[in-house]
Amino acid sequence: MPTMRLRALGTLAVLAALAGPVAGCEKKSEPTAGAPTGAAASPTVDVAANSKTVCAAALDVVKAGFVGMADDAIAQIDKPVAEAEKNRLIRERYTTIVTGLRAQAPQAADPAVRGSFENLATAIEQRMADAKAMDVDEPTLEKHLTAMDTACGN
């Protein structure tokens, strides 16, 4: 059992590292000056306000997914589940993140913000298609999380 607990704690550390880059989205109330506005932005849309809104919504989705994974891992310390169930729970959390990002992407007026949402969603989908998709110990999503953080002005 001690090995299972150490593994779960290791998983929590990885989830915290993955969520770290987007945690900065909460630090600033406005996107940074000079954030790209893109040619696709409507002249009647306040791109900065739109970015703030869609970034906050996307951040909520991403954080909820990773916090949910961490909660699941914590619960499994005292009540272990079969590998298949663990994988199902992780896949469910990833799917929720992808669905939320895909819902926010078309609402983003800034193409950089929209692209960062789409890229992260695609990276998660690719990860789920991989043979080791549920192996949380590889932080392959970090660059996409950092790109989303940057696009959101943090």
Side-chain angles (χ1 to χ4, degrees):
M1 277 304 173
T3 303
M4 180 64 107
R5 289 176 191 224
L6 289 175
R7 192 169 172 199
L9 292 175
T11 299
L12 292 175
V14 170
L15 291 172
L18 285 173
V22 294
C25 286
E26 293 181 312
K27 292 180 183 173
K28 297 180 183 176
S29 60
E30 296 295 323
T32 58
T37 56
S42 167
T44 60
V45 173
D46 180 345
V47 176
N50 170 269
S51 293
K52 180 180 177 183
T53 301
V54 296
C55 284
L59 174 63
D60 287 346
V61 166
V62 171
K63 282 182 6 183
F66 285 121
V67 168
M69 284 183 207
D71 289 345
D72 293 343
I74 290 168
Q76 292 167 23
I77 291 172
D78 292 326
K79 187 177 178 185
V81 297
E83 193 68 26
E85 176 64 7
K86 192 181 319 181
N87 291 345
R88 185 194 68 76
L89 290 169
I90 293 170
R91 185 172 298 281
E92 187 177 286
R93 301 292 186 181
Y94 275 147
T95 300
T96 300
I97 294 170
V98 168
T99 301
L101 290 170
R102 295 264 187 238
Q104 289 303 312
Q107 298 186 40
D110 184 339
V113 171
R114 182 175 45 253
S116 73
F117 294 173
E118 291 169 351
N119 291 340
L120 178 56
T122 299
I124 292 171
E125 289 171 333
Q126 289 171 346
R127 181 169 178 79
M128 287 194 298
D130 187 281
K132 293 184 176 184
M134 302 309 116
D135 183 5
V136 185
D137 295 335
E138 281 188 48
T140 57
L141 302 176
E142 187 173 351
K143 74 177 183 178
H144 299 289
L145 290 164
T146 301
M148 181 178 138
D149 191 39
T150 300
C152 285
N154 298 296

Short mmCIF file of all heavy atoms in Angstrom, two decimals, residues 62-90:
data_model
loop_
_atom_site.label_atom_id
_atom_site.label_comp_id
_atom_site.label_asym_id
_atom_site.label_seq_id
_atom_site.Cartn_x
_atom_site.Cartn_y
_atom_site.Cartn_z
N VAL A 62 -10.52 24.17 -17.39
CA VAL A 62 -9.24 23.47 -17.26
C VAL A 62 -8.96 23.16 -15.79
O VAL A 62 -8.59 22.03 -15.44
CB VAL A 62 -8.10 24.29 -17.90
CG1 VAL A 62 -6.74 23.70 -17.58
CG2 VAL A 62 -8.30 24.39 -19.41
N LYS A 63 -9.15 24.15 -14.94
CA LYS A 63 -8.90 23.92 -13.51
C LYS A 63 -9.84 22.85 -12.95
O LYS A 63 -9.41 21.98 -12.20
CB LYS A 63 -9.06 25.22 -12.72
CG LYS A 63 -7.87 26.14 -12.86
CD LYS A 63 -7.92 27.42 -12.07
CE LYS A 63 -9.01 27.65 -11.13
NZ LYS A 63 -8.99 28.97 -10.47
N ALA A 64 -11.10 22.91 -13.32
CA ALA A 64 -12.06 21.91 -12.82
C ALA A 64 -11.64 20.50 -13.24
O ALA A 64 -11.73 19.56 -12.44
CB ALA A 64 -13.46 22.22 -13.32
N GLY A 65 -11.16 20.37 -14.46
CA GLY A 65 -10.71 19.06 -14.94
C GLY A 65 -9.52 18.54 -14.18
O GLY A 65 -9.51 17.39 -13.71
N PHE A 66 -8.50 19.38 -14.01
CA PHE A 66 -7.29 18.93 -13.32
C PHE A 66 -7.51 18.78 -11.81
O PHE A 66 -6.99 17.86 -11.19
CB PHE A 66 -6.11 19.84 -13.62
CG PHE A 66 -5.54 19.64 -15.00
CD1 PHE A 66 -5.50 20.67 -15.91
CD2 PHE A 66 -5.07 18.40 -15.40
CE1 PHE A 66 -5.00 20.48 -17.18
CE2 PHE A 66 -4.56 18.19 -16.67
CZ PHE A 66 -4.53 19.23 -17.58
N VAL A 67 -8.29 19.67 -11.23
CA VAL A 67 -8.61 19.53 -9.81
C VAL A 67 -9.43 18.25 -9.60
O VAL A 67 -9.23 17.52 -8.63
CB VAL A 67 -9.34 20.77 -9.27
CG1 VAL A 67 -9.93 20.52 -7.89
CG2 VAL A 67 -8.39 21.96 -9.22
N GLY A 68 -10.33 17.97 -10.54
CA GLY A 68 -11.10 16.73 -10.46
C GLY A 68 -10.21 15.51 -10.51
O GLY A 68 -10.41 14.53 -9.77
N MET A 69 -9.18 15.55 -11.38
CA MET A 69 -8.23 14.44 -11.45
C MET A 69 -7.49 14.30 -10.12
O MET A 69 -7.26 13.18 -9.64
CB MET A 69 -7.22 14.66 -12.57
CG MET A 69 -7.76 14.39 -13.95
SD MET A 69 -6.42 14.60 -15.15
CE MET A 69 -7.35 15.04 -16.60
N ALA A 70 -7.09 15.41 -9.55
CA ALA A 70 -6.40 15.38 -8.26
C ALA A 70 -7.31 14.83 -7.17
O ALA A 70 -6.89 14.00 -6.36
CB ALA A 70 -5.90 16.77 -7.90
N ASP A 71 -8.57 15.27 -7.16
CA ASP A 71 -9.53 14.76 -6.18
C ASP A 71 -9.71 13.25 -6.33
O ASP A 71 -9.77 12.52 -5.33
CB ASP A 71 -10.88 15.46 -6.33
CG ASP A 71 -10.87 16.90 -5.86
OD1 ASP A 71 -9.91 17.31 -5.16
OD2 ASP A 71 -11.82 17.64 -6.20
N ASP A 72 -9.79 12.79 -7.58
CA ASP A 72 -9.94 11.36 -7.84
C ASP A 72 -8.72 10.60 -7.30
O ASP A 72 -8.85 9.55 -6.68
CB ASP A 72 -10.09 11.08 -9.34
CG ASP A 72 -11.39 11.62 -9.92
OD1 ASP A 72 -12.33 11.92 -9.15
OD2 ASP A 72 -11.46 11.75 -11.16
N ALA A 73 -7.52 11.16 -7.55
CA ALA A 73 -6.29 10.51 -7.08
C ALA A 73 -6.25 10.46 -5.56
O ALA A 73 -5.84 9.44 -4.98
CB ALA A 73 -5.07 11.23 -7.63
N ILE A 74 -6.67 11.52 -4.91
CA ILE A 74 -6.70 11.54 -3.45
C ILE A 74 -7.67 10.49 -2.92
O ILE A 74 -7.36 9.75 -1.97
CB ILE A 74 -7.06 12.95 -2.93
CG1 ILE A 74 -5.92 13.92 -3.20
CG2 ILE A 74 -7.40 12.91 -1.44
CD1 ILE A 74 -6.27 15.38 -2.98
N ALA A 75 -8.84 10.41 -3.52
CA ALA A 75 -9.84 9.43 -3.08
C ALA A 75 -9.31 8.01 -3.24
O ALA A 75 -9.63 7.13 -2.43
CB ALA A 75 -11.13 9.61 -3.88
N GLN A 76 -8.46 7.79 -4.25
CA GLN A 76 -7.94 6.46 -4.51
C GLN A 76 -6.82 6.05 -3.55
O GLN A 76 -6.43 4.89 -3.52
CB GLN A 76 -7.47 6.37 -5.96
CG GLN A 76 -8.61 6.44 -6.94
CD GLN A 76 -8.16 6.68 -8.36
OE1 GLN A 76 -7.03 6.38 -8.72
NE2 GLN A 76 -9.04 7.23 -9.18
N ILE A 77 -6.33 6.99 -2.77
CA ILE A 77 -5.32 6.64 -1.76
C ILE A 77 -5.95 5.72 -0.72
O ILE A 77 -5.38 4.69 -0.37
CB ILE A 77 -4.74 7.91 -1.09
CG1 ILE A 77 -3.89 8.68 -2.09
CG2 ILE A 77 -3.92 7.53 0.14
CD1 ILE A 77 -3.44 10.05 -1.59
N ASP A 78 -7.13 6.09 -0.25
CA ASP A 78 -7.81 5.29 0.78
C ASP A 78 -8.70 4.21 0.19
O ASP A 78 -8.97 3.21 0.84
CB ASP A 78 -8.65 6.19 1.68
CG ASP A 78 -7.78 7.09 2.54
OD1 ASP A 78 -6.69 6.65 2.94
OD2 ASP A 78 -8.19 8.23 2.80
N LYS A 79 -9.18 4.44 -1.02
CA LYS A 79 -10.08 3.47 -1.64
C LYS A 79 -9.63 3.23 -3.08
O LYS A 79 -10.17 3.82 -4.02
CB LYS A 79 -11.52 4.01 -1.61
CG LYS A 79 -12.55 3.02 -2.07
CD LYS A 79 -13.95 3.58 -1.95
CE LYS A 79 -14.94 2.57 -2.47
NZ LYS A 79 -16.29 3.11 -2.48
N PRO A 80 -8.61 2.38 -3.26
CA PRO A 80 -8.09 2.12 -4.60
C PRO A 80 -9.18 1.57 -5.53
O PRO A 80 -10.10 0.89 -5.10
CB PRO A 80 -7.00 1.08 -4.37
CG PRO A 80 -6.65 1.19 -2.93
CD PRO A 80 -7.90 1.63 -2.23
N VAL A 81 -9.05 1.90 -6.81
CA VAL A 81 -9.97 1.40 -7.83
C VAL A 81 -9.16 0.66 -8.87
O VAL A 81 -7.94 0.82 -8.98
CB VAL A 81 -10.78 2.55 -8.48
CG1 VAL A 81 -11.65 3.26 -7.47
CG2 VAL A 81 -9.87 3.54 -9.18
N ALA A 82 -9.84 -0.14 -9.66
CA ALA A 82 -9.19 -0.89 -10.73
C ALA A 82 -8.60 0.07 -11.76
O ALA A 82 -9.08 1.20 -11.91
CB ALA A 82 -10.20 -1.82 -11.39
N GLU A 83 -7.57 -0.38 -12.43
CA GLU A 83 -6.90 0.44 -13.45
C GLU A 83 -7.90 0.92 -14.51
O GLU A 83 -7.84 2.07 -14.93
CB GLU A 83 -5.78 -0.37 -14.11
CG GLU A 83 -4.83 0.45 -14.92
CD GLU A 83 -3.96 1.40 -14.09
OE1 GLU A 83 -3.71 1.12 -12.90
OE2 GLU A 83 -3.52 2.41 -14.65
N ALA A 84 -8.83 0.09 -14.90
CA ALA A 84 -9.82 0.47 -15.91
C ALA A 84 -10.69 1.63 -15.40
O ALA A 84 -11.01 2.55 -16.16
CB ALA A 84 -10.70 -0.72 -16.28
N GLU A 85 -11.07 1.58 -14.13
CA GLU A 85 -11.88 2.66 -13.55
C GLU A 85 -11.07 3.94 -13.45
O GLU A 85 -11.57 5.03 -13.73
CB GLU A 85 -12.42 2.25 -12.18
CG GLU A 85 -13.20 3.32 -11.47
CD GLU A 85 -14.49 3.76 -12.17
OE1 GLU A 85 -14.90 3.16 -13.18
OE2 GLU A 85 -15.10 4.74 -11.69
N LYS A 86 -9.82 3.82 -13.05
CA LYS A 86 -8.94 4.99 -12.96
C LYS A 86 -8.82 5.65 -14.34
O LYS A 86 -8.93 6.87 -14.48
CB LYS A 86 -7.56 4.54 -12.46
CG LYS A 86 -6.67 5.67 -12.07
CD LYS A 86 -5.29 5.20 -11.60
CE LYS A 86 -5.32 3.98 -10.74
NZ LYS A 86 -3.99 3.55 -10.28
N ASN A 87 -8.61 4.83 -15.37
CA ASN A 87 -8.51 5.35 -16.74
C ASN A 87 -9.81 6.00 -17.19
O ASN A 87 -9.80 7.04 -17.86
CB ASN A 87 -8.11 4.24 -17.70
CG ASN A 87 -6.69 3.78 -17.49
OD1 ASN A 87 -5.88 4.45 -16.83
ND2 ASN A 87 -6.35 2.63 -18.04
N ARG A 88 -10.93 5.40 -16.82
CA ARG A 88 -12.23 5.97 -17.19
C ARG A 88 -12.42 7.35 -16.57
O ARG A 88 -12.86 8.30 -17.22
CB ARG A 88 -13.38 5.05 -16.76
CG ARG A 88 -14.76 5.54 -17.24
CD ARG A 88 -15.89 4.81 -16.53
NE ARG A 88 -15.98 5.12 -15.12
CZ ARG A 88 -16.49 6.27 -14.62
NH1 ARG A 88 -16.91 7.22 -15.43
NH2 ARG A 88 -16.55 6.47 -13.31
N LEU A 89 -12.04 7.48 -15.31
CA LEU A 89 -12.17 8.77 -14.62
C LEU A 89 -11.28 9.84 -15.26
O LEU A 89 -11.72 10.97 -15.47
CB LEU A 89 -11.82 8.61 -13.13
CG LEU A 89 -12.82 7.81 -12.30
CD1 LEU A 89 -12.23 7.50 -10.93
CD2 LEU A 89 -14.14 8.55 -12.18
N ILE A 90 -10.05 9.48 -15.57
CA ILE A 90 -9.14 10.44 -16.20
C ILE A 90 -9.67 10.84 -17.58
O ILE A 90 -9.71 12.01 -17.93
CB ILE A 90 -7.71 9.86 -16.30
CG1 ILE A 90 -7.11 9.71 -14.90
CG2 ILE A 90 -6.82 10.75 -17.17
CD1 ILE A 90 -5.80 8.95 -14.85
#
